[in-house]
Amino acid sequence: MERSAVWERVSEICRDVFNNRDLTITEGTTAADIAEWDSLTHLSLIDELERQFHVTFTLDEVSESKDLGELMEALMKHIKEK
């Protein structure tokens, strides 16, 4: 799957999880940039990404990703390993 197609799906998932259809995100977006992004929605985001892409993130990937770009890197790694 192409990175651009994955990013489009990730963007849609973020809009759904954060319940904001107008949300604009970049790979540099962090929890501090989105008012609705707290620890619970972070877990919801991880869960939805895992479900949609049929991957499982490691605890380190979840806890050490500082922004959506780092999470995207982990996601792409898992997609390529499938």
Side-chain angles (χ1 to χ4, degrees):
M1 183 177 257
E2 293 287 325
R3 186 179 177 92
S4 60
V6 173
W7 180 251
E8 285 302 313
R9 284 183 64 191
V10 167
S11 297
E12 281 302 312
I13 291 167
C14 285
R15 288 183 192 101
D16 290 341
V17 167
F18 300 124
N19 197 29
N20 183 344
R21 298 308 307 159
D22 298 323
L23 184 65
T24 301
I25 60 170
T26 68
E27 290 196 26
T29 300
T30 67
D33 300 320
I34 301 174
E36 299 85 7
W37 193 341
D38 58 20
S39 58
L40 183 58
T41 54
H42 183 75
L43 293 177
S44 295
L45 175 61
I46 296 301
D47 182 60
E48 193 62 22
L49 290 171
E50 288 180 333
R51 196 171 65 73
Q52 291 285 326
F53 290 100
H54 308 286
V55 300
T56 302
F57 291 108
T58 67
L59 182 58
D60 286 343
E61 289 169 335
V62 172
S63 62
E64 293 176 6
S65 293
K66 305 285 188 265
D67 56 30
L68 286 176
E70 289 182 11
L71 195 55
M72 183 74 176
E73 287 299 319
L75 178 58
M76 291 304 298
K77 180 188 79 161
H78 288 289
I79 289 172
K80 289 177 183 173
E81 289 174 353
K82 290 190 337 179

